[in-house]
Amino acid sequence: MVSEKDKAQITMMYRQAADKRSQIKILSELYLISRAEVCKVLFDAGYTDKHIKRMLEPADTGKESRCRPWTAEEEDRLCALRARGRSYGECAVALKRSANSVASKAYQLGC
């Protein structure tokens, strides 16, 4: 829970910051709250910057989640695709994941 005094200070420091996006991270570390909580304070204070709104969007926005855990079936499918010589990009499309995520998981699995 953020006090009214802290909310006022967060708002003031954000307003004075040269790099607004970086300031959100700094404020979250300074006040020991999440970035989403900082964005909520700023949004409630009237800030409607794109990066603030994006942080407050519900997790299910129609896009695939970046933090979606891998299932055993997906891991098996990844290894099968890699065994057939598919690139990370091709595997990413087939699995609806990013190429970086696919490459990282393939490395972890050794396939």
Side-chain angles (χ1 to χ4, degrees):
M1 184 79 181
V2 182
S3 71
E4 291 301 316
K5 180 180 175 184
D6 288 343
K7 288 178 183 180
Q9 290 176 337
I10 288 169
T11 304
M12 179 197 62
M13 286 190 265
Y14 180 79
R15 183 178 58 246
Q16 295 173 347
D19 183 357
K20 306 277 193 220
R21 292 180 73 187
S22 295
Q23 188 68 18
I24 292 172
K25 178 182 178 196
I26 292 166
L27 290 167
S28 73
E29 292 171 356
L30 182 64
Y31 286 92
L32 302 174
I33 58 176
S34 70
R35 293 180 194 181
E37 288 175 293
V38 171
C39 289
K40 175 81 170 103
V41 167
L42 296 171
F43 185 79
D44 291 345
Y47 288 94
T48 58
D49 302 353
K50 187 189 322 184
H51 54 274
I52 292 173
K53 286 183 179 178
R54 199 175 307 135
M55 182 69 77
L56 297 175
E57 286 178 355
D60 186 17
T61 59
K63 296 186 260 180
E64 291 293 323
S65 172
R66 286 199 234 166
C67 300
R68 183 170 46 100
W70 283 79
T71 64
E73 292 81 20
E74 287 176 314
E75 291 175 352
D76 292 342
R77 189 166 176 214
L78 171 59
C79 287
L81 289 168
R82 292 294 295 153
R84 284 189 250 146
R86 302 289 186 234
S87 70
Y88 293 134
E90 291 170 326
C91 293
V93 170
L95 295 167
K96 296 182 181 174
R97 299 227 177 222
S98 72
N100 286 340
S101 174
V102 167
S104 176
K105 184 53 78 172
Y107 178 79
Q108 289 173 3
L109 296 172
C111 57

